[in-house]
Amino acid sequence: MMVFLIRKLKSITGIYFKVNELGKSLGLQDNGRKLGLIAQQIEEVAPELIAPAPINKKYKTVKYDRVVALLLQAIKEQQAQINILRQKVEQRELNG
């Protein structure tokens, strides 16, 4: 599973956005600029992290609480890669 989650995460874009008029009409609060993820991008790599939006079922929403688990596992995988690379560098330094 090494690098698998990192590849998934690389295809997901974090974005800043403001609630548009449609969003306001559906009951979303306009608290200025927000930070989020694009549900359609996440759905392509991890559909289990997407649900129909509670304000209107034709829209999608991100299950942000479950994104945390994906990020945690990706960090662990990335750290394993770093450890392997660190060992290779140390071995090369020892061998001259």
Side-chain angles (χ1 to χ4, degrees):
M1 194 151 142
M2 198 64 86
V3 270
F4 181 65
L5 287 176
I6 299 298
R7 284 189 187 141
K8 280 186 173 190
L9 291 175
K10 286 174 69 175
S11 68
I12 298 170
T13 306
I15 59 163
Y16 286 103
F17 66 96
K18 289 186 177 186
V19 175
N20 61 20
E21 292 304 316
L22 176 60
K24 290 176 191 175
S25 74
L26 293 171
L28 294 177
Q29 293 183 3
D30 182 10
N31 298 334
R33 190 168 85 157
K34 299 177 183 282
L35 179 62
L37 302 170
I38 299 171
Q40 290 80 359
Q41 287 181 342
I42 294 176
E43 187 174 39
E44 289 178 15
V45 295
E48 65 277 12
L49 301 180
I50 301 301
I55 57 172
N56 187 320
K57 301 300 181 208
K58 73 177 187 175
Y59 297 103
K60 298 175 183 185
T61 190
V62 177
K63 298 177 184 177
Y64 284 100
D65 58 326
R66 295 185 184 180
V67 172
V68 173
L70 183 73
L71 293 173
L72 180 63
Q73 190 59 36
I75 289 168
K76 289 178 182 180
E77 289 182 13
Q78 190 172 46
Q79 188 59 49
Q81 291 173 8
I82 291 168
N83 292 342
I84 290 167
L85 292 172
R86 183 178 289 139
Q87 288 174 348
K88 288 181 179 182
V89 168
E90 289 172 358
Q91 190 63 37
R92 285 186 181 177
E93 288 174 352
L94 288 175
N95 293 336

